[in-house]
Amino acid sequence: MARGTRDWRRSPVGEPALARGVLIGVVLLFLALFLLLPLVAVFAEAFRLGPAAWIAAVTEPDALAALRLTLLVAVIAVPLNLVFGVAAAWAIAKFEFRGKAVLITLIDLPFSVSPVISGLVYVLLFGGGGLLGPWLKGHGIEILFAVPGIVLATLFVTLPFVARELIPLMQDQGTADEEAALSLGASGWHTFRTVTLPNIRWGLLYGVLLCNARAMGEFGAVSVVSGHIRGLTNTVPLHVEILYNEYNFPAAFAVASLLAVLALVTLVLKTALEARLGHGTPSRAGP
Amino acid sequence: MTTPMPSRRLAVTLIAGLLMMPGARADDTLLNVSYDPTREFYKDFNAAFVEHWTAEGGAPVTIRMSHGGSGKQARSVIDGLDADVVTLAISVDIDRIAQATGKIPADWLDRLPDASAPYTSTIVFLVRKGNPKDINDWDDLLREDVQVVTPNPKTSGGARWNYLAAWIFAEDAYQGDEARVRDFMARLYRNVPVLDTGARGSTITFTQRGIGDVLLAWENEAFLSRQKMGEDQFDIVVPSVSVLAEPPVTVVTGNTERKGTTALATTYLEYLYSETGQSLAARHFYRPAHPDLVDPAELARFPRVTRVRIADRFGSWAEAQATHFADGGVFDQITAAGR
């Protein structure tokens, strides 16, 4: 051991026990007050009328339709962003080309734009007075106020998640492994499958997880393009708002608790993945 | 075992529900794009109509609803929301759809009886129980210790009725002296802490978040929040004068002709004028256009109030809209002066 264990209490981070206690106490209190308490309140309100009322609220036809739509949107948006994210990160991390900085900035765009704008963009494009709207309508294609519009808006806001997670990871790893594989005669696809993919798999899963959470939870952009037709174009977050506005608080919180469960599952998986990522990145030897 | 295991029943229902993807049904569907406070009424009315329609030998039909601020809903229909019928708060919102899309003929107001308004309403005050601030009429809203909750007239239909009702009171009080009327309005809006975008948003602000001393509300919305939140929490105060609010309904002919639902949509709206439609409107605190069709007991709870028709005072809704709520109009002028 280079550092003596005797001195660690006096090191700059080793404040006296009292200060440490106060700091930790403040943080815990803050978390309990602003994170835990609201979360508990959601579940308390959701089950206020008992489990039967909760079941009735989440199995009501409009709630099921909202759940179905949210799952459908995630099932379409997440794989598409997975493919796009890997392709973009691969291009950016492993190759040098003109306009790379522009590409990275473009990928970040949905992060910096307000979700309402993301929705309005599609209204301008596909709306009745929009650029493509009248032509599409004439050909019987429904985009806005229908499922395709909701999928598009969700794709837009979730676009950066996978790519953003993979770019730094792949840049860190460099191109040495791939070069070795290629020089040993492996094909491009073979190299990707057996060398690159195993190296990035935890980061990729992490990105997919965040992407999925956002796809299912998105409110702003989807609200603009949805049209709020009950049982048809309402996603789970929109349905929660509707129930709340109808004074149906127990049902609103019951459906909201589904979203809270999704958040908790995401959190647990994320923590597990972070642990794997922390130790797992250097495991270049493969599985 | 009297009850099945909840978790298993839940799982079965969830999976069954998720597997039944929509689209397989060949039912006719009708989309009714409406404003905020009609949610409860149309829920009941739709069920009654479907029963009536199938009993008369019609094919099974599904009625879908979309609710929001009246102005916002009109905007969505203009942007392409495929409404078969619109049931909005104000005729100008339907005029806008007619002008922007041509999907509704310009003379739509005359297509149905009673200027296409099967039910009417008015604006009343909702105050906290016992009326602690002693609010009885419009001029009480100007007192320094009173906070008024009303939505934004730019986005909400209800808010425009609120505004015009106050204007009518001030105009009567000051014998039409416009400078004093404007001052009255400016002082009123200075007492408004939040302008929500829709009527329902304002109701939630007042009843749930506990902001303000008085909510300017649709009569039906005021009755409904008393019913939902407990009669021991709020009182309704009827001002000396208010507006005759006529929320109109019409068929979006351009859409129904393309979808082949014109007959269905027309029957749907006509059913609003039937005994069932009028009774349901009364039950949901709308004043029926034909009270003779409704059980007098249902009508007894509507307080007597002097209701002024917009056309009699402002010429027409289109004129009131242009003068007061257009960009740079009177509302913009008085709120800018108040800052």
Side-chain angles (χ1 to χ4, degrees):
Chain A
M1 285 262 156
R3 258 174 295 172
T5 45
R6 220 167 57 92
D7 277 358
W8 71 269
R9 275 170 205 275
R10 300 257 173 83
S11 75
V13 286
E15 291 295 326
L18 181 69
R20 253 187 301 147
V22 169
L23 271 177
I24 294 173
V26 166
V27 169
L28 284 181
L29 189 74
F30 188 83
L31 287 180
L33 219 59
F34 289 96
L35 280 177
L36 216 54
L37 200 65
L39 204 59
V40 170
V42 167
F43 284 98
E45 189 68 23
F47 286 100
R48 199 161 54 95
L49 302 182
W54 186 87
I55 290 171
V58 299
T59 55
E60 187 255 344
D62 286 343
L64 280 179
L67 205 59
R68 206 157 40 210
L69 179 60
T70 293
L71 291 177
L72 176 70
V73 167
V75 161
I76 299 172
V78 174
L80 281 178
N81 274 332
L82 175 99
V83 172
F84 167 80
V86 171
W90 170 272
I92 286 166
K94 309 279 177 179
F95 301 99
E96 288 304 326
F97 56 91
R98 248 170 207 278
K100 193 156 135 177
V102 177
L103 185 62
I104 297 177
T105 314
L106 274 180
I107 290 174
D108 275 344
L109 187 71
F111 271 161
S112 49
V113 167
S114 157
V116 177
I117 310 289
S118 323
L120 280 177
V121 167
Y122 290 104
V123 174
L124 286 178
L125 268 181
F126 299 115
L131 276 177
L132 305 171
W135 185 84
L136 288 169
K137 197 94 184 176
H139 290 73
I141 303 168
E142 301 276 350
I143 305 269
L144 203 60
F145 309 119
V147 176
I150 297 171
V151 171
L152 280 174
T154 308
L155 266 177
F156 185 90
V157 293
T158 56
L159 184 108
F161 284 94
V162 174
R164 260 288 143 212
E165 192 54 41
L166 289 184
I167 290 167
L169 184 65
M170 287 172 100
Q171 275 173 336
D172 258 10
Q173 287 171 351
T175 53
D177 287 2
E178 281 82 1
E179 277 162 13
L182 289 173
S183 68
L184 288 173
S187 70
W189 171 241
H190 193 67
T191 306
F192 175 76
R193 238 179 20 152
T194 54
V195 179
T196 311
L197 205 54
N199 275 342
I200 60 166
R201 64 183 189 280
W202 296 115
L204 186 63
L205 257 178
Y206 186 55
V208 164
L209 203 64
L210 291 182
C211 179
N212 184 53
R214 180 68 188 267
M216 291 189 172
E218 176 59 23
F219 180 86
V222 169
S223 172
V224 175
V225 298
S226 140
H228 305 270
I229 308 170
R230 282 189 90 121
L232 205 65
T233 64
N234 268 327
T235 61
V236 173
L238 299 184
H239 192 61
V240 172
E241 194 212 18
I242 285 191
L243 291 172
Y244 184 78
N245 276 342
E246 288 175 357
Y247 302 96
N248 198 347
F249 304 122
F253 283 100
V255 179
S257 71
L258 286 181
L259 283 177
V261 167
L262 168 76
L264 288 177
V265 170
T266 308
L267 208 64
V268 169
L269 287 176
K270 180 173 158 293
T271 314
L273 281 176
E274 264 165 0
R276 287 305 292 255
L277 264 179
H279 310 295
T281 13
S283 71
R284 296 178 151 216
Chain B
M1 286 253 313
T2 47
T3 47
M5 266 174 54
S7 60
R8 179 182 294 173
R9 197 176 68 189
L10 170 68
V12 169
T13 325
L14 265 178
I15 291 167
L18 290 173
L19 286 179
M20 288 189 316
M21 288 298 285
R25 269 197 316 256
D27 285 10
D28 276 335
T29 58
L30 197 70
L31 175 58
N32 178 353
V33 173
S34 194
Y35 64 113
D36 257 333
T38 57
R39 298 164 194 265
E40 292 77 12
F41 165 59
Y42 276 113
K43 201 172 195 172
D44 284 358
F45 176 77
N46 290 346
F49 173 74
V50 169
E51 203 175 299
H52 163 78
W53 176 257
T54 43
E56 297 278 298
V61 58
T62 309
I63 317 259
R64 300 210 178 269
M65 294 303 303
S66 169
H67 294 278
S70 186
K72 188 187 120 203
Q73 294 293 81
R75 183 73 243 171
S76 290
V77 175
I78 293 169
D79 283 334
L81 184 58
D82 232 348
D84 296 279
V85 299
V86 284
T87 54
L88 297 178
I90 317 188
S91 55
V92 278
D93 284 332
I94 298 183
D95 285 338
R96 273 196 196 145
I97 301 173
Q99 281 156 17
T101 65
K103 287 176 179 171
I104 299 171
D107 63 346
W108 64 270
L109 208 59
D110 304 323
R111 289 194 297 184
L112 285 167
D114 310 302
S116 294
Y119 40 79
T120 68
S121 191
T122 189
I123 300 298
V124 297
F125 302 164
L126 192 68
V127 296
R128 312 226 172 258
K129 189 73 194 173
N131 197 1
K133 293 271 172 103
D134 194 28
I135 296 161
N136 297 306
D137 210 347
W138 292 100
D139 46 359
D140 290 322
L141 306 182
L142 267 53
R143 291 207 317 257
E144 303 242 320
D145 64 326
V146 172
Q147 280 201 325
V148 183
V149 177
T150 174
N152 187 347
K154 295 276 186 178
T155 51
S156 156
R160 275 172 265 174
W161 291 109
N162 295 347
Y163 170 100
L164 294 176
W167 185 279
I168 289 168
F169 172 86
E171 211 170 53
D172 290 350
Y174 301 124
Q175 282 99 40
D177 180 347
E178 194 174 329
R180 293 182 71 188
V181 175
R182 281 177 182 240
D183 178 58
F184 179 95
M185 297 302 289
R187 280 165 63 199
L188 171 60
Y189 276 89
R190 226 172 288 157
N191 282 349
V192 179
V194 257
L195 284 172
D196 286 293
T197 53
R200 195 48 72 85
S202 278
T203 310
I204 299 277
T205 296
F206 182 76
T207 57
Q208 283 292 106
R209 292 168 60 204
I211 292 177
D213 303 302
V214 52
L215 172 74
L216 308 187
W218 289 104
E219 182 180 51
N220 54 291
E221 187 79 350
F223 272 114
L224 181 73
S225 36
R226 247 165 74 85
Q227 189 188 50
K228 294 274 181 182
M229 321 291 299
E231 309 221 326
D232 51 344
Q233 290 200 43
F234 307 104
D235 280 335
I236 291 174
V237 172
V238 180
S240 62
V241 61
S242 194
V243 283
L244 171 65
E246 298 173 297
V249 302
T250 205
V251 176
V252 187
T253 320
N255 288 341
T256 56
E257 277 175 359
R258 184 169 42 78
K259 295 200 272 182
T261 49
T262 310
L264 173 63
T266 310
T267 315
Y268 176 77
L269 291 186
E270 279 166 0
Y271 195 58
L272 285 168
Y273 293 89
S274 71
E275 197 182 320
T276 313
Q278 295 285 298
S279 300
L280 281 173
R283 192 164 311 152
H284 288 277
F285 314 114
Y286 283 93
R287 296 184 182 223
H290 298 275
D292 47 301
L293 295 176
V294 180
D295 177 7
E298 295 269 19
L299 302 171
R301 62 171 161 240
F302 293 112
R304 290 178 63 85
V305 50
T306 312
R307 298 194 293 167
V308 176
R309 196 179 284 268
I310 295 299
D312 295 345
R313 189 61 73 99
F314 299 92
S316 70
W317 246 112
E319 282 174 60
Q321 173 77 21
T323 315
H324 292 275
F325 309 117
D327 272 336
V330 178
F331 176 74
D332 281 347
Q333 293 164 23
I334 60 166
T335 46
R339 292 215 175 87

